[in-house]
Amino acid sequence: MKVGIMGGTFDPIHIGHLIAAQCAFEQSALDEVWFMPTNVPPHKQQAPGATPKQRWEMVCKAVEGHPYFRPIDIELQKGGVSYSIDTVKLLKQQHPGIHFSYIIGADMVQYLPKWYKFDELVQLISFIGLQRPGYELDVKQLSDQVRQAVSIVSMPLMELSSTSIRERVAEGKSIRYMVPDGVYDYIEVNGIYGS
């Protein structure tokens, strides 16, 4: 079984995340995509706008009813800073028969060697890089180790980010159609991001 991991703060999860997951699912012939909210990402400094519980509930609402997408709270349960190597070891221990691939933006591919314990990580998991129009990843610039670990898939250009969504809510602007309906309602009902 092949499973793609979509990790992220998901503060909030939006349709860009879901479209990216669908592109990776189809083009990499995955059996499932697991959405895994990070607890404390090592590379982000500011605290998320929603609580871990709220981010988890929004992810659950976003993938509800999708036959091949599922939420997984392994990093939230673990607590502390989320390092990919620790998460992957735990996933492989809990699901020994599954081949996992991290789904990341093509712009992140060049930074893979800087990931914590990358040499060890690359022995355990592969990567799917999402190539957006207008961003050209120069594969020749990558090391052999990275080239062998990464497959590139294409996705449509989307100018949408969790940051811009939080800003729109704070400014009293609508985010309808930018997030799944269940997430939209959840943000409204719970007054997240100043809604």
Side-chain angles (χ1 to χ4, degrees):
M1 182 159 151
K2 290 169 66 180
V3 170
I5 300 287
M6 278 287 287
T9 317
F10 298 127
D11 188 24
I13 188 166
H14 55 70
I15 59 160
H17 293 127
L18 299 171
I19 291 168
Q22 187 67 34
C23 291
F25 175 78
E26 291 170 357
Q27 295 174 51
S28 297
L30 299 173
D31 295 298
E32 289 185 348
V33 176
W34 294 0
F35 288 76
M36 183 175 66
T38 54
N39 188 48
V40 182
H43 59 281
K44 286 198 179 168
Q45 301 310 315
Q46 97 273 17
T51 66
K53 181 178 183 284
Q54 288 172 327
R55 292 185 294 116
W56 167 250
E57 289 176 354
M58 287 189 280
V59 166
C60 292
K61 290 189 176 304
V63 301
E64 205 170 58
H66 191 293
Y68 309 112
F69 289 0
R70 72 177 216 184
I72 178 168
D73 65 351
I74 188 169
E75 290 198 341
L76 295 176
Q77 290 294 330
K78 198 164 47 98
V81 174
S82 301
Y83 285 108
S84 300
I85 186 70
D86 302 329
T87 303
V88 169
K89 284 179 176 174
L90 202 53
L91 282 170
K92 298 212 54 95
Q93 194 181 331
Q94 293 175 358
H95 309 278
I98 295 179
H99 174 80
F100 290 103
S101 298
Y102 263 121
I103 301 168
I104 61 173
D107 54 334
M108 286 295 294
V109 169
Q110 61 189 335
Y111 299 109
L112 281 175
K114 293 184 171 74
W115 282 32
Y116 182 65
K117 293 192 176 177
F118 176 71
D119 290 343
E120 192 180 342
L121 184 64
V122 80
Q123 304 300 316
L124 302 172
I125 194 167
S126 58
F127 296 85
I128 298 167
L130 296 161
Q131 180 75 62
R132 298 178 183 95
Y135 176 82
E136 279 311 309
L137 176 68
D138 188 356
V139 182
K140 294 186 290 298
Q141 298 288 321
L142 303 173
S143 69
D144 289 346
Q145 185 186 38
V146 174
R147 262 202 309 274
Q148 287 162 10
V150 177
S151 62
I152 303 294
V153 302
S154 60
M155 71 169 281
L157 179 62
M158 297 211 55
E159 291 297 325
L160 193 58
S161 70
S162 296
T163 303
S164 66
I165 288 171
R166 291 193 304 271
E167 287 168 356
R168 286 185 67 84
V169 174
E171 292 165 7
K173 295 177 180 168
S174 177
I175 56 165
R176 191 175 290 284
Y177 312 118
M178 296 177 186
V179 296
D181 289 344
V183 174
Y184 177 85
D185 294 339
Y186 186 88
I187 290 170
E188 289 276 299
V189 167
N190 292 281
I192 308 172
Y193 315 124
S195 61

